[in-house]
Amino acid sequence: VAGSLVFVALVFIAGALGLRLLRVAPLPAKDQSANRSPMSKPDSVLLPASETAAYVKYYLANPEIPVQSWQPSDADLKGLEANLPQVSNLKENGTGPGRHIDHPNEYFRQYLPIVQSGRRQIFVNAFCREERDYSDEWRQRLHIVYDGGKCYWQAFYDPLTQKFSNLLINGVA
């Protein structure tokens, strides 16, 4: 009986030590992408076709020019994202020539596919992340601001040539 009590005690101690060792053993390294919150949302969005009317109203110099929407492919949108750094090389050709955007990927971006004068393009409307905590409304409606300087900019992306053009940076009020 005494021998079996010693055996049970040793098994209990060994089990307790084994569990303790398991608790303090380091966890295997995790993939960095696993650290991203499953609830995090991308910094860009493809706007619904219904927002084409807002584009015509607020951004088109001549609202008589017919503008339609179209459905870009995943490859078109991936091409836009891959070529986004090109925006840094553009100089504004609006009211403040020579202004440029240093890090276009650091902005929230709205993508609106339009057909204008027979050309399929994607209108890019971008705004600062730091400004305030935006609700998800910007994911459904074109975000329009008339001033704000370099915190707001627009450009066009041509999926056929994979080039950006017509950079416009908001003025400062």
Side-chain angles (χ1 to χ4, degrees):
V1 173
S4 56
L5 282 177
V6 170
F7 177 75
V8 169
L10 287 174
V11 168
F12 178 76
I13 291 170
L17 286 175
L19 288 176
R20 180 175 162 90
L21 289 174
L22 286 176
R23 273 189 254 151
V24 295
L27 295 173
K30 289 184 179 179
D31 179 5
Q32 288 290 18
S33 63
N35 290 336
R36 291 183 59 195
S37 167
M39 300 301 281
S40 68
K41 296 179 181 178
D43 293 339
S44 62
V45 65
L46 179 64
L47 291 174
S50 59
E51 289 304 293
T52 304
Y55 164 79
V56 169
K57 181 177 179 180
Y58 294 104
Y59 289 104
L60 198 59
N62 181 358
E64 300 299 316
I65 295 174
V67 177
Q68 300 172 333
S69 185
W70 62 284
Q71 183 61 46
S73 68
D74 286 341
D76 292 330
L77 296 172
K78 286 179 182 172
L80 185 156
E81 289 285 330
N83 288 299
L84 194 61
Q86 286 179 18
V87 172
S88 315
N89 299 326
L90 296 177
K91 299 274 191 244
E92 181 183 31
N93 50 349
T95 57
R99 292 191 304 166
H100 68 281
I101 298 299
D102 291 321
H103 304 285
N105 57 323
E106 293 180 0
Y107 290 76
F108 285 125
R109 297 173 310 281
Q110 297 178 310
Y111 303 145
L112 185 64
I114 61 168
V115 179
Q116 190 173 322
S117 302
R119 279 181 67 194
R120 285 184 169 197
Q121 298 180 81
I122 299 175
F123 175 71
V124 178
N125 186 43
F127 47 98
C128 286
R129 293 183 194 191
E130 302 85 38
E131 182 184 309
R132 64 185 173 108
D133 184 20
Y134 286 93
S135 69
D136 275 350
E137 185 176 340
W138 74 271
R139 295 181 183 283
Q140 297 297 318
R141 301 214 183 281
L142 195 59
H143 187 66
I144 300 163
V145 175
Y146 292 108
D147 54 15
K150 289 177 88 172
C151 213
Y152 300 91
W153 58 269
Q154 299 80 38
F156 289 94
Y157 175 74
D158 185 333
L160 289 178
T161 62
Q162 297 190 335
K163 302 271 185 215
F164 283 87
S165 64
N166 296 15
L167 175 65
L168 181 63
I169 300 171
N170 282 22
V172 179

